[in-house]
Amino acid sequence: MSAPAHKEDNKPSSSNFLRAIIERDLAQGRHQGRRWGGSPGDGNHHAHGEPDPARVRLRFPPEPNGYLHVGHAKSICLNFGLAQEYGGVCHLRFDDTNPEKEEQEYVDAIKDAVQWLGWTWEAHGTRHLYYASDYFDFMYRAAEYLIEHGHAYVDEQTPEQMRANRGDFTTPGVDSPYRDRPAAESLARLREMRDGKHPDGAMVVRAKIDMASPNINLRDPAIYRIKHATHHNTGDRWCIYPMYTFAHPIEDALENITHSICTLEFEDQRPFYDWVLERIVPILREPEFRRACELVERIEQQGIEAGKEFALRCHNHAHKLDHSEPEERMRALFQKWERDRDAVIADLPAFFALLQSQAHQFTPLLAHALEPYCVEPFNLPHQYEFARLNLTYVVTSKRKLKALVDEGIVDGWDDPRMPTIVGMRRRGYTPEAIRLFAERIGVSKANGWIDYGLLEAAVRDDLDGKAPRAMAVLDPVRLKLTNWAEVFGSANHLEPCSAPAHPKRDDLGTREFRLGAEVWIEREDFAEQPPKGYHRLFPGNMARLKYGYVVKCTGCEKDADGNVTAVLAEVVPDTKSGTPGADAVKVKGVITWVGVRDGAQAEVRLYDRLFNDPHPDAGGKDYKAALNPDSVKVVQAYVEPSLAAAAPGTRFQFERHGYFVADARDGRLAFNRITSLKDTWGK
């Protein structure tokens, strides 16, 4: 799917705050001048590349530990869609940092799902399919860099001790006894971890940030742990693996991502995302780091006023300072200026000397203080959060969905009741409908619930214009036309009938079927004692067999238990649809039917919601207790003869019953109900 050169070429039907952010960044030229090395890499790699042909770069980064669901579909459409709108590229990247839960099966299924939804990761002659594990070498290098410069350490506390010392929302954490161990000692331990000399859980690498931070995610989070496990992509090369929150920003930076879009649960992780990237700038963006140092020198050379202005800008970002010795000295200068503003000019030589001699310790400060002089001085990606999709009557936790599969509650990941993409695909949902749904619900910063009926409405709106019509009888009872031989001269006569394949699509042609002395009708189309307003068959009443003749009900046949086994009626001559006599008899009821002689028997699966509770796992509820015991009903039905050879995946509107898709598993003619003709969710 090629991306347009400009957004105006493919204007979306609705707006959202992410579009506003991208348009703002493009207008400000925040990503101009970037280069692309042809593949992911550090700053030196990209510096030798060509000007980036993508105006923006986004990514869809699933973990291959399960099949994707409807929430992922929204994210896929959002990321790939925004990239397309703004002349950009969206990468498909597997965040495969947890070897114990990830499998090649899931990798293949995810690639298939993205392509089925209509998106591609190929652009400008490049296949943008990547793995976090492709970058394990650089991530390890970054961990060593942080340790060497006093921003990380190896902690040998037990997991229980670390958990207890972390504190909570009202209690600050307690520093690890290993927090201030010499960098050389931590570095030696890290290399022992890498070389497999320690068992799982014996130690971890932690970022050194602030154990008293009100954001618990900044209380010295782990960045590497030991896992002696075979990885689906790297095999047994590594026995230590980066934590997701450490790996993810590095992946984004190496891939030149401009807008890293994720869901709201990662909002509290954004400070750590920025911390990681800003701290490793000297090895991540070496050319940009050198230019920033040169820019600081030029600012100093511009004189006292320019130097003072820049120094005060740095002071305004003092919160970016950590606790290394050079940063503590810089903090002391800033505190002095707060007491004595006139001291700034006198301290300028010391300020610039400290900044230039220890520039590698001040990259978080420079990333912000240099903005007025150079837009995006280090060309770092930025994270933006949106509300995840919360859909009524649905569970979207991959862990919980996997439990449904493993315990046999559903028939695999592609069970049509599952909210997985493979399940919706087998159910008969179209990629166009899912993309339409994603666009209609938009993007928000606030969590909320979306009614499942909106998804079904998108499915109906998509299928209405393209699904051929057909008649099917799902709860059959025989209708015997007792005067058939008298009217047509033979009990074996079959009267040809036809109908448009689609009422608004002449290009789809017509469908042919035959009416005989016996047909199947829906059991509910007959009533011995009809309720008020009932216009179908009951003794003495007339109704039309759709596309056929008017018939008059004369009674019924019953078995010994009083169950109706056949409905009896007489055909009214000269009332065939499409003939001059069709309007000779006025009736209010029209009945769908299938001929007994040429109809095809089929298994029809009537799927309903998997859960009875609109919020099955909200608030810690037991979602399995909300399972709907009637979520699927299998019936033996009869369909028009043309459907006997329906190709799997072909969608139809069964007149009166809704939309169905052919699903010929096990060699049987079968149809899955996609959706009814009207919204039934929430009722």
Side-chain angles (χ1 to χ4, degrees), residues 551-627:
V551 297
K552 181 178 181 180
C553 181
T554 58
C556 64
E557 296 175 351
K558 298 181 180 180
D559 62 18
D561 296 323
N563 300 310
V564 175
T565 57
V567 179
L568 305 177
E570 295 179 346
V571 63
V572 179
D574 302 322
T575 58
K576 184 178 180 183
S577 296
T579 66
D583 296 329
V585 178
K586 302 294 184 181
V587 295
K588 293 183 178 180
V590 178
I591 295 173
T592 53
W593 57 277
V594 172
V596 169
R597 292 273 296 275
D598 61 358
Q601 189 170 10
E603 180 177 285
V604 172
R605 300 149 191 163
L606 303 174
Y607 291 105
D608 199 349
R609 67 197 74 175
L610 187 56
F611 298 97
N612 282 325
D613 188 330
H615 310 133
D617 61 346
K621 288 186 290 190
D622 178 8
Y623 68 105
K624 294 178 186 175
L627 285 164

Side-chain angles (χ1 to χ4, degrees), residues 185-312:
E185 189 177 317
S186 276
L187 198 58
R189 285 286 189 272
L190 171 61
R191 290 170 180 170
E192 291 173 5
M193 291 168 60
R194 177 199 62 191
D195 296 339
K197 295 182 179 179
H198 298 284
D200 291 6
M203 54 191 70
V204 297
V205 183
R206 298 178 71 178
K208 187 189 293 186
I209 306 179
D210 183 3
M211 287 300 293
S213 173
N215 184 343
I216 294 181
N217 297 290
L218 297 181
R219 295 184 184 178
D220 291 8
I223 62 175
Y224 257 96
R225 80 285 204 199
I226 304 171
K227 276 189 179 290
H228 292 85
T230 300
H231 190 280
H232 76 97
N233 195 32
T234 60
D236 295 318
R237 183 184 171 200
W238 295 93
C239 63
I240 59 171
Y241 292 94
M243 302 298 289
Y244 171 83
T245 52
F246 176 68
H248 191 85
I250 294 175
E251 298 157 27
D252 284 347
L254 295 176
E255 293 180 19
N256 257 9
I257 299 303
T258 59
H259 300 81
S260 181
I261 300 172
C262 58
T263 47
L264 280 177
E265 59 260 41
F266 294 99
E267 186 173 26
D268 289 341
Q269 291 285 359
R270 192 195 325 147
F272 184 57
Y273 181 102
D274 294 337
W275 184 93
V276 170
L277 296 181
E278 291 168 1
R279 279 290 161 197
I280 65 173
V281 157
I283 62 171
L284 178 69
R285 293 285 190 260
E286 185 179 349
E288 291 88 343
F289 176 63
R290 290 197 305 267
R291 286 196 292 271
C293 293
E294 293 167 358
L295 179 55
V296 171
E297 290 181 11
R298 290 199 300 273
I299 293 172
E300 182 185 22
Q301 294 166 3
Q302 289 171 6
I304 292 177
E305 286 304 317
K308 177 182 178 182
E309 180 183 356
F310 177 65
L312 291 175

Side-chain angles (χ1 to χ4, degrees), residues 37-228:
S39 61
D42 60 18
N44 286 319
H45 172 77
H46 290 302
H48 292 92
E50 298 295 324
D52 196 338
R55 299 175 77 206
V56 294
R57 284 187 183 268
L58 295 90
R59 82 292 172 270
F60 173 63
E63 182 182 358
N65 63 348
Y67 283 73
L68 301 186
H69 54 63
V70 63
H72 295 111
K74 173 184 175 179
S75 183
I76 291 169
C77 294
L78 177 63
N79 282 284
F80 281 90
L82 287 172
Q84 183 190 61
E85 285 176 30
Y86 293 99
V89 172
C90 185
H91 301 179
L92 174 60
R93 180 214 305 146
F94 292 97
D95 266 318
D96 54 349
T97 58
N98 190 354
E100 293 175 324
K101 294 184 178 180
E102 296 156 357
E103 298 179 17
Q104 187 63 40
E105 173 190 353
Y106 300 137
V107 170
D108 296 338
I110 289 169
K111 290 191 290 186
D112 180 65
V114 173
Q115 291 177 316
W116 178 76
L117 282 171
W119 305 107
T120 179
W121 47 85
E122 295 186 7
H124 308 294
T126 302
R127 186 170 179 260
H128 299 283
L129 174 64
Y130 306 118
Y131 297 82
S133 53
D134 294 338
Y135 317 132
F136 281 173
D137 286 324
F138 184 90
M139 292 174 191
Y140 177 80
R141 179 184 168 201
E144 287 205 345
Y145 175 87
L146 290 173
I147 289 175
E148 289 169 348
H149 291 85
H151 301 300
Y153 61 98
V154 172
D155 194 347
E156 297 182 45
Q157 294 182 98
T158 66
E160 292 75 22
Q161 289 171 325
M162 282 188 279
R163 193 177 304 113
N165 290 337
R166 193 182 188 201
D168 55 32
F169 290 108
T170 59
T171 308
V174 177
D175 286 355
S176 165
Y178 300 95
R179 195 174 198 265
D180 295 322
R181 73 194 313 176
E185 189 177 317
S186 276
L187 198 58
R189 285 286 189 272
L190 171 61
R191 290 170 180 170
E192 291 173 5
M193 291 168 60
R194 177 199 62 191
D195 296 339
K197 295 182 179 179
H198 298 284
D200 291 6
M203 54 191 70
V204 297
V205 183
R206 298 178 71 178
K208 187 189 293 186
I209 306 179
D210 183 3
M211 287 300 293
S213 173
N215 184 343
I216 294 181
N217 297 290
L218 297 181
R219 295 184 184 178
D220 291 8
I223 62 175
Y224 257 96
R225 80 285 204 199
I226 304 171
K227 276 189 179 290
H228 292 85

